[in-house]
Each structure stands twice: as structure tokens, then as C-alpha cells.
Amino acid sequence: MLSPSTHYKEKASSYELTVRIIQAQNIHGTDLVTKPDCYVCLWLPTALTDKKRTKTIWNNANPVWEETFHFTIHSLVQNVLEVSLHDEDIGTADDHLYTVSYDLGNVPLNEPVLETFTLNKEFEEELQVEFDVVSISETRKNVTTNGVLVCPEMLALEVAVAKHRKEPFKMKTELVLTVKGSYETERRISLNSNSILERSSHEKVVFHFPRDFGTEMTACLNRVYSPFDVTFSNEAENDGINQTTVPLSLLSPMENDISIQLPAVEVKPLEVKIKIKECPEELDVRLGFDLCDKEKIFLQKRQRVVAEALKNILHLDKNLVGEEIPVIAVMATGGGARAMSSLYSHLSSLQEMGLLDCISYIAGASGSTWTMSKLYEDPKWSQRELSESINQAKEHVTKKKMSTFSMNRLKYYRKELQQAAKDGQKTSFTDLWGLMIESMFYKGKNESRLSEQRAALENGQNPLPLYLAMNVKSDKTSTLDFKEWCEFTPYEVGLLKYGASIRTEDFGSEFYMGRLMKKHPEPRICYLQGLWGNVFSLNLVDTWYLTTQLDTFWDNWVKDRVNDIDKEDIMQRRETAHLKTRLFTPAGTVNKMLKGLLTNRPIDGEQQNFLRGLHLHKDYHQQAQFTTWKDSNLDILPNNLTPLADNLCLVDAGYFINASFPPLLREERKVDIILSFDYTLDTPLLSVEQTCTYCTTQGICFPRVSLSDEERKTHKECYVFKDEDNPNAPIVLHFPLVNDTFQKFKEPGVPRSPEEMPDGDVDVTGVWSPYFLTNFTYSEQEFDRLMKLTRYNLLNNKELIIDTLHAAVQRRKARNHCNGKYKTQKKSQFIKKS
């Protein structure tokens, strides 16, 4: 059960939309010899119907259709109609000429609007369409929303068939029931040759669908033929002709059944009973941008641990209390086995300095998540010496990995993937990679789950782990154009910009309209490790961007062209519309092939989309939380966003920025200091610079990262980035993976002897470094040197860290003093007025 404070109710109505496709002019098409054969398609995904299309006007550059289409739309939802023009071809795929994306908020109630869309100014190509929206007489309904997502009321349709018939069907027949826009979509009930229902149809068939969206049920009787039935080709044409449609919007929740007679070709009509029922209002998807209640409770407990640790390390006279306690976080980048090993060393060093208990959050991406997920199997890991954990990691990193690809292991992988598929997982190469990680870095099968890590947080005894992934499009769209942060904690999995989260144990289960519809077992942690650290699901565009940091090739040569075609009169009369009218001109045939090649992710994985059935609020892009976390050029195109996607496509966050800053930058977490551990080999400052650029663009508080050319040439062990003018921006202490003074000192202030100088030779820069990304096996010497280097770099900057802690405490006290003074002034003013 979710707290009601996470969402609220708004009144909403339904409208009837009429779209009249009138004509087009001067259409050139793609054929060089003949005139185009044009037709128009309409797609309004929020109306829960398939695409509709006009007839084809053959060999005509000025086609006239005069066809009318009807939709039911919801007043609180962002309704964007896509009107596309096509040139039909015989024998080959039809040519997609243009698509107009039109915000129906442009159409006032009861005032028809005639639009003439300019498709090509040079050739004066135009499309003329008329829109009309009228109210449907009904009572306004309450709808659940968080300002970005809308969850309409859900109803359940029960369908039952009479169990006995006196007159049997002559052939095997099935009843096909379809409710478009429902969770189930289609159900089939088989009838045997004696017209006695099979056991599967004794139970009632149920459909779950949104109220007030113009939903319809269609029912028809189809014969079931065997592949060897010689009469199939002759008689199949008669199936499905007698189709019955029932508008569910005309029915209200009722106690009694309604009988419907379905016509049958050979026998008397089949009697079907239907009933509409209310569904519970409680949601299983938490709609809200605040932290979940369990995290708030954890922070209260963790504050006591942090306050005691800060008192000791800073030699304070008394404990800090409440808002005086700064929030300190660790941010770890990816980097395969290199990141996994180095994070062990850094956490052990923090423990050695007495600083680990000062940490409230640990955020990781890619390889660093492998360390975190292993440590949190022990509920008291931060209270124990981490030397044993490092020894275990060393054992796995230094062992040979050939057994990972042995025949026995391959059989094990196959068996596990088959079981995962039975459990409801959408298995893919990502899951296979997770099993390989388990084989390389664990002894035997690891049965742990992410939700079980709550035991390590029960008393605030450890920092809260935050695991970061990125939701992208599986094909046709590059990561440059679309990416959304997805956050995993032991409590919740959430898509940040939508303010939508589910319980961690429900990840991988099926959701619809905010409700848990089909529960699947929570995936084992190895499958999440493969998802968080999948170094193989890059497409070619991602690879190009990561190696060159240039996106001009994609922008100039491959992307579809998108233009704003609003005219001045539209801008002046627009009242409720927020989105501009946009014209999409698809790329040519060669560019389409190139685009498919560049954006295809052949070895990525898909996950259940827990936003399925939810809609975007008509004012979604005006919400501060959504625009703050705007990650995509497609955010202005609601039909392309995740609520309308069939599945999530979650990949390694390093494909955009190899860092895990985003979860720590949520305003609700109030992070004061970030210890940034960067495990990148060749570009040790790139992740923090990219984060700064990203945050500046999105309006997120982050300190300015400005480096001179000289600073870029010679890398330091630690960089301090802070914004003196913005106390809400965290102080970032950035620790790149560099070998500077460690070459001459084996401990802080302890020089190396001539015999010890070779131990300081740790290659973390060149292309021949033993720590390259796809190397998962180090020698013992290589592992030990990496551990000593990262430990030294942190210990050598202990005083800098402590000074930063002092600064954060003083900043917190100053902020609280100002807030307290402001509250006192407001109280005095109130008393004076009274």
C-alpha cells in the first residue's frame, strides 16, 4: 500500500474527436515515372485503438479523400495525433513521405478547426485536415496523477459462456474476444465438437481496461482447422464475418450479468454473459518524486551513525543534530574488473581513516556495482574489516577464466536461462552475461536478490546503495537522442524523470495502469549485475560517440528531419496546447538502412515496462521535476516516451556518462559532499566534465568544472570542485585513477627505497595497461599494485577530505541559521498582523 501523499486526484472528462481527412495537393512522391498513390494513416495511441487509414487514391498528385474518423480522448492526457502520408507500392514496401505530429490541445471545444499543413514549401505540398472536439455527456471522474503521469480508473470486464448447449457445433470452434487497450488484449475460448466447453473455459475470462477511454469489446466465432484440413482454404473465408462489438463506455459497474447473443453460422446464437466491475484504487506503482518512506526512515537511523562518526573525526565538542548533519556520498564509475577491484580498496581506505561511517550513500555504475552487490550480502559489512572481502575479490580476479566457457558451464547457463524464462524473465544476452559474471567472481550459484539487501540497512548500519542504469530505445533511435536514468535501490526501482517507482521485489513482474497484474519471481542479483555492467550492448552510434565525442555525423546524415510548422495564427489562438506542430521527413532508403545498422542493439535485453497503461499528463513537460531530469531530445514527443513503450531497454549507464552522479543529485537527497572515484584509464576527468555540462544544461545544481590546459596535461590525485555562490551545489572531491606521487612514496610521507621503486610503476594510462576494460584476469602483482595505488591516493588526501567535511558542516549550520532567522521573522510578522 502506497502513501497517498505520493500522488493526488484531478477531475477529468472524456471528449469525442472527429478527424476529417480532406485532401492533399502537389504531392510528388518517390516514383519518377508515375504520380503517387496516396493514403493517410492516423495514429492516436492515447485513444487505445490501432492505426486508422484512408483508402488509396491511385495515380493522383492531388488526392481527395473526404473521410472521417472518430476517437474518444481524455481531457487530462497529452493527446498528440500523428497524421502520416504514404505512397502505396505494389510488390515493395510503401513509401513513408511525411508525418505531422499535432497537439489536439489546439482544438477548442465545439469549434471545428481546419488545418492546412505545409509539407514542402519548395513544391507547395500540403495536407488539409479538419478537427472537431465535442464533450461527452457524463459525470466528471477523479483521476490519479503526479503531474507527469496519469492513471485513469480501471475497470474489469468479466465474460462467461453458457456451459450447456442443446444444439452442438458441427466443427471445432473458438470464441475470440478482443478488448483493445486492455491488459489482456485478446482471449480465446475453445469449444469442442460436442459444444461442451473445455476445462480452460469453465472459468470466467477477465479483461482489465481504463474507464472513459472509449474502449470496445469485439467477439466472434472462428472455426479451428488442422493444418491438413483440405476444406481450410474454402471455408476459412467465412470465419469472423459475424463480429459483435460492445461499447464498454456505455456500461457501468453492475451486480447483474448482461446477456449477449453471438450469431453462429450453423447453429443458434451463442449466449455470452458480461459484467463490469470496479477495480481497487490502490496502486502498486508509486507516483511521486519524493523519497520513499523506507529511505526516509533509513536516513533518520543513518544520521545517528554519521553524527557520531563526524564528532570523532572532526573532534567536535558535541554531536551534530538534525539538519546540521551533512549528507556525504561516494560516487563510483564503471570500468569492469578494474572498477570492481578499486572500489574495494577505496572503501577499505575510508574505513581505515574512520570515514566510512560518515557516508550515507554509495552510488555505482557498471563494474563498481559488482563490488557493491557483493558487499551488501553481509548485513554488517562496513563494521567488519574489509581485508577478507579484498582477499576474496583477489582470488576471483586472479583465477583463470577458461572454466567460464567450459561445456559444463554452458549447459548450466542454458538451464538457468530456461528457468528464468519460465519465471517470466525476458531472457537475452544480457542475462547470459550476468551468469558469466557470476561464474567469474563467485563460488557457485548466487541466490541473493537485491531486495534482500534491506537487511544491511535495517538499523542504518551501512550506507544506502544506489545502482544506476539507463533506459534507451532498442532500435531506430540512438542513445544520443533518447536516454533516461533508472535507479535501483534495495527498496525501489524507479524511472527518475517520470516520478514512478515500484518495489524492488516486483522488478520484472507485469504491470498495467499502475497495478501489479502478474507477479514473477524477483531476478537473482547476477542478472542485475549483467544489466548494470553490460559492456556489450553498445550500438555503432554509441561506439562512435564514446570514441570521438562527436555527434555531427549522426545529426547531419542519419537522423530524420524534424521541423516546426506552426503558423502565426495557430500560435495566437493556442490555449491548451503546449506542443508545437512538427513535421517529420523520414530519411531516404539508403539512410534508413544506415540508420538501422547504426542503432540496432543485437545483444541488449528487454525488461517489463512498469509504466505500461499510464499516460502522460497534458502539462507533463511543465512540471519542474520532469524538466529537471530531461534526458532526451524526444521529451517533446510524448508518443515516443516510455509510458507507450512495450518494454524497457536497460543498459549500462556508461554509454552516456561513465559515472553514477544522477541519483546523488536529486534535490530530495540533499547531498553535501561527493567523493568521486573515477576508474577510467585514459580520460580521468571526462566523467566529471560531462556531468557538469549535463547538469548545466538541465538546470541541476553541480559545481563548475573548469580546467586549464596545463591541468589537463598533468593529472592530480584529487580535484576539489565547489560553487561558492551556490550553497545547494555539492562539493565534489574527484579522485581519478592516476599514478603521481605513488611512484616515489609507498605510504603518505614515506619515500621508497631504490629497491622499492619498481613497485611504484603502475601503468594506468597507456593502451598496454593490464587493467584494460575487457580484461577480467590480473596477476597477483597487478592486483596488489592497483590496491596499493588507490589506497595511497586516498590516504594521501585525508587532510583535504577532513577540511571539506568541516566546510560542509559550517555551510549546513549557516544555512540552518538563515532558515531559522527567516522563520522567526515570518512568525513575528504573523503575530504583529494578528
Side-chain angles (χ1 to χ4, degrees):
M1 195 72 63
L2 299 175
S3 169
S5 62
T6 59
H7 52 253
Y8 56 93
K9 297 284 188 178
E10 273 194 62
K11 291 286 187 180
S13 301
S14 296
Y15 304 132
E16 182 179 351
L17 165 70
T18 301
V19 181
R20 184 164 66 100
I21 306 298
I22 303 174
Q23 63 181 352
Q25 294 181 335
N26 305 317
I27 305 302
H28 283 67
T30 56
D31 297 330
L32 299 178
V33 179
T34 64
K35 294 179 181 179
D37 309 309
C38 295
Y39 66 90
V40 174
C41 283
L42 304 177
W43 184 50
L44 182 58
T46 51
L48 309 181
T49 58
D50 292 335
K51 288 185 178 180
K52 300 184 179 184
R53 60 162 288 179
T54 66
K55 61 180 178 290
T56 300
I57 306 297
W58 300 95
N59 195 30
N60 194 329
N62 299 288
V64 177
W65 291 280
E66 283 293 348
E67 293 188 45
T68 301
F69 302 90
H70 300 277
F71 304 88
T72 300
I73 60 176
H74 200 271
S75 65
L76 209 58
V77 169
Q78 179 67 68
N79 297 293
V80 176
L81 177 67
E82 294 187 9
V83 183
S84 56
L85 182 65
H86 302 261
D87 182 1
E88 184 167 345
D89 291 324
I90 305 298
T92 60
D94 296 348
D95 296 316
H96 179 193
L97 303 179
Y98 303 101
T99 293
V100 175
S101 177
Y102 185 75
D103 185 351
L104 294 172
N106 284 306
V107 185
L109 279 176
N110 306 314
E111 294 182 26
V113 172
L114 180 64
E115 298 279 19
T116 300
F117 300 116
T118 300
L119 306 178
N120 187 309
K121 289 184 178 180
E122 180 181 357
F123 298 112
E124 297 183 340
E125 293 179 295
E126 294 181 340
L127 177 65
Q128 196 173 68
V129 184
E130 184 182 66
F131 302 91
D132 190 15
V133 175
V134 298
S135 299
I136 297 176
S137 179
E138 62 172 25
T139 305
R140 289 164 60 85
K141 303 293 193 309
N142 282 322
V143 173
T144 303
T145 181
N146 66 350
V148 171
L149 294 173
V150 172
C151 182
E153 291 181 320
M154 176 190 278
L155 297 178
L157 168 68
E158 293 183 353
V159 184
V161 183
K163 294 186 177 180
H164 303 287
R165 287 175 55 86
K166 295 180 180 179
E167 188 175 358
F169 287 98
K170 295 178 181 179
M171 296 186 63
K172 190 170 183 180
T173 307
E174 65 179 4
L175 172 62
V176 181
L177 300 167
T178 304
V179 180
K180 293 178 181 178
S182 69
Y183 166 71
E184 295 80 4
T185 304
E186 182 181 275
R187 300 293 295 269
R188 293 173 180 262
I189 299 178
S190 297
L191 311 171
N192 64 19
S193 59
N194 295 322
S195 295
I196 300 174
L197 293 179
E198 295 180 356
R199 179 178 300 178
S200 62
S201 61
H202 287 177
E203 300 177 0
K204 293 180 180 178
V205 175
V206 180
F207 293 90
H208 297 85
F209 64 96
R211 187 176 203 159
D212 305 322
F213 272 70
T215 313
E216 298 177 337
M217 181 194 78
T218 59
C220 64
L221 293 171
N222 283 349
R223 292 171 182 166
V224 181
Y225 298 92
S226 70
F228 307 102
D229 194 335
V230 294
T231 64
F232 176 77
S233 59
N234 296 327
E235 299 190 21
E237 297 177 359
N238 296 323
D239 286 347
I241 296 177
N242 296 316
Q243 179 174 290
T244 301
T245 300
V246 180
L248 300 181
S249 58
L250 301 179
L251 305 178
S252 300
M254 61 197 77
E255 296 182 0
N256 300 323
D257 296 337
I258 295 178
S259 294
I260 297 176
Q261 302 293 322
L262 302 181
V265 176
E266 308 153 333
V267 296
K268 291 182 179 180
L270 178 68
E271 182 181 356
V272 175
K273 294 181 180 295
I274 66 173
K275 179 188 292 186
I276 303 288
K277 288 188 174 182
E278 300 269 8
C279 291
E281 291 187 2
E282 293 80 8
L283 302 183
D284 299 299
V285 175
R286 184 173 71 88
L287 298 181
F289 292 89
D290 200 3
L291 304 179
C292 70
D293 291 340
K294 291 183 178 179
E295 182 172 342
K296 293 177 182 178
I297 294 172
F298 160 80
L299 289 174
Q300 292 175 356
K301 296 177 180 179
R302 186 63 181 173
Q303 273 189 333
R304 295 193 287 268
V305 178
V306 172
E308 183 65 28
L310 288 174
K311 180 181 179 182
N312 294 332
I313 198 73
L314 300 180
H315 305 294
L316 302 177
D317 296 332
K318 58 181 181 179
N319 278 337
L320 301 171
V321 294
E323 291 297 316
E324 295 178 341
I325 306 172
V327 177
I328 305 158
V330 164
M331 189 292 302
T333 69
R338 177 181 67 247
M340 182 189 75
S341 305
S342 299
L343 183 55
Y344 275 115
S345 174
H346 276 140
L347 294 177
S348 177
S349 301
L350 289 174
Q351 185 183 63
E352 182 180 346
M353 293 187 290
L355 293 172
L356 188 53
D357 281 342
C358 299
I359 308 299
S360 294
Y361 292 103
I362 300 178
S366 195
S368 60
T369 65
W370 304 346
T371 300
M372 296 162 57
S373 53
K374 177 62 177 176
L375 286 174
Y376 278 86
E377 292 176 12
D378 180 2
K380 298 182 179 180
W381 70 266
S382 66
Q383 279 77 55
R384 308 186 197 278
E385 290 288 337
L386 291 180
S387 55
E388 181 59 30
S389 295
I390 292 177
N391 289 335
Q392 290 179 7
K394 179 179 180 179
E395 178 184 348
H396 291 300
V397 172
T398 57
K399 74 181 181 183
K400 301 298 181 182
K401 304 298 189 298
M402 290 304 297
S403 61
T404 301
F405 307 99
S406 67
M407 185 58 65
N408 287 336
R409 294 305 295 179
L410 293 177
K411 291 180 180 178
Y412 167 76
Y413 300 154
R414 180 181 180 183
K415 179 182 177 182
E416 288 300 306
L417 291 175
Q418 288 175 340
Q419 183 58 50
K422 289 180 181 179
D423 290 341
Q425 282 184 227
K426 294 178 175 290
T427 55
S428 64
F429 177 84
T430 300
D431 300 298
L432 175 60
W433 171 236
L435 291 171
M436 291 180 179
I437 294 173
E438 178 186 61
S439 176
M440 289 188 287
F441 301 122
Y442 285 83
K443 289 182 179 179
K445 184 176 180 179
N446 180 15
E447 294 284 2
S448 66
R449 266 78 173 169
L450 178 57
S451 64
E452 295 171 357
Q453 295 181 12
R454 294 172 186 168
L457 308 171
E458 189 173 358
N459 299 310
Q461 69 269 38
N462 300 296
L464 176 67
L466 305 172
Y467 305 89
L468 186 64
M470 197 165 58
N471 182 42
V472 298
K473 297 290 186 182
S474 59
D475 57 9
K476 298 182 181 179
T477 303
S478 78
T479 306
L480 303 176
D481 286 337
F482 184 86
K483 47 197 168 286
E484 301 171 333
W485 301 118
C486 184
E487 172 187 292
F488 291 74
T489 78
Y491 300 130
E492 288 188 331
V493 177
L495 288 166
L496 299 185
K497 78 179 185 185
Y498 298 105
S501 306
I502 58 172
R503 292 175 287 264
T504 300
E505 58 267 34
D506 293 334
F507 179 71
S509 295
E510 297 179 35
F511 287 80
Y512 186 69
M513 292 179 63
R515 280 85 168 180
L516 177 61
M517 304 301 294
K518 190 173 183 180
K519 173 67 177 172
H520 295 307
E522 181 184 355
R524 296 195 291 119
I525 196 70
C526 69
Y527 294 117
L528 297 183
Q529 291 173 328
L531 184 158
W532 297 326
N534 186 357
V535 296
F536 301 107
S537 61
L538 284 170
N539 59 28
L540 294 180
V541 176
D542 295 335
T543 305
W544 171 267
Y545 175 72
L546 290 174
T547 54
T548 66
Q549 295 299 307
L550 297 175
D551 54 8
T552 52
F553 170 75
W554 170 257
D555 288 336
N556 295 337
W557 296 99
V558 185
K559 287 178 62 175
D560 294 339
R561 284 172 290 168
V562 183
N563 297 310
D564 173 17
I565 59 171
D566 271 337
K567 299 177 181 178
E568 290 185 5
D569 62 327
I570 294 179
M571 298 297 292
Q572 291 173 358
R573 65 175 164 78
R574 175 180 285 137
E575 296 179 0
T576 59
H578 302 300
L579 304 181
K580 297 179 179 179
T581 304
R582 287 179 167 82
L583 174 68
F584 296 79
T585 306
T589 303
V590 175
N591 281 12
K592 284 181 181 177
M593 295 176 59
L594 181 60
K595 180 180 179 181
L597 176 66
L598 293 176
T599 59
N600 186 41
R601 301 178 189 274
I603 51 178
D604 64 357
E606 294 182 331
Q607 308 291 332
Q608 299 286 354
N609 181 10
F610 55 86
L611 299 190
R612 185 183 165 210
L614 301 175
H615 296 276
L616 288 163
H617 193 283
K618 64 181 179 66
D619 300 322
Y620 77 95
H621 64 291
Q622 294 184 337
Q623 298 298 323
Q625 294 93 334
F626 182 87
T627 54
T628 297
W629 292 98
K630 176 182 174 184
D631 305 312
S632 161
N633 293 333
L634 298 184
D635 283 343
I636 56 175
L637 307 172
N639 292 356
N640 292 296
L641 294 182
T642 302
L644 291 174
D646 292 330
N647 301 290
L648 302 178
C649 182
L650 299 177
V651 299
D652 192 323
Y655 297 155
F656 176 44
I657 299 175
N658 185 27
S660 53
F661 283 110
L664 302 175
L665 300 177
R666 291 178 61 179
E667 292 182 5
E668 298 82 6
R669 291 202 165 112
K670 303 177 182 179
V671 174
D672 298 278
I673 299 175
I674 299 177
L675 301 179
S676 170
F677 298 141
D678 193 329
Y679 305 127
T680 310
L681 281 183
D682 301 320
T683 54
L685 295 170
L686 181 61
S687 66
V688 72
E689 288 183 295
Q690 287 180 323
T691 302
C692 178
T693 301
Y694 168 76
C695 291
T696 301
T697 303
Q698 310 303 332
I700 302 170
C701 289
F702 196 80
R704 184 165 174 248
V705 178
S706 179
L707 300 167
S708 64
D709 293 338
E710 187 62 31
E711 288 175 314
R712 294 177 188 278
K713 293 178 182 178
T714 305
H715 297 136
K716 300 189 298 184
E717 296 168 352
C718 181
Y719 295 83
V720 180
F721 302 111
K722 60 182 177 179
D723 191 338
E724 299 290 356
D725 299 327
N726 185 1
N728 294 319
I731 302 172
V732 176
L733 299 184
H734 187 68
F735 293 86
L737 190 60
V738 297
N739 188 2
D740 185 16
T741 60
F742 181 71
Q743 299 176 70
K744 298 180 180 180
F745 294 85
K746 62 179 180 180
E747 294 284 347
V750 182
R752 295 184 184 277
S753 65
E755 295 78 15
E756 294 170 330
M757 293 301 289
D759 292 334
D761 184 17
V762 186
D763 183 4
V764 290
T765 56
V767 293
W768 304 110
S769 170
Y771 309 109
F772 61 90
L773 180 63
T774 55
N775 182 25
F776 300 102
T777 305
Y778 304 157
S779 68
E780 290 192 8
Q781 184 184 64
E782 290 166 347
F783 181 87
D784 290 340
R785 286 182 175 179
L786 182 62
M787 293 293 100
K788 291 177 181 178
L789 169 66
T790 47
R791 172 183 174 275
Y792 170 86
N793 284 351
L794 197 56
L795 266 60
N796 199 40
N797 289 278
K798 179 180 179 180
E799 293 304 319
L800 179 58
I801 297 174
I802 292 177
D803 289 343
T804 305
L805 292 177
H806 274 293
V809 170
Q810 294 303 316
R811 191 165 69 171
R812 275 272 181 168
K813 289 184 175 181
R815 188 188 307 164
N816 292 335
H817 176 72
C818 291
N819 290 340
K821 187 175 180 181
Y822 173 76
K823 291 178 180 178
T824 301
Q825 290 175 346
K826 295 292 288 184
K827 185 176 180 180
S828 300
Q829 293 173 3
F830 175 78
I831 293 174
K832 193 180 250 187
K833 288 181 181 179
S834 301

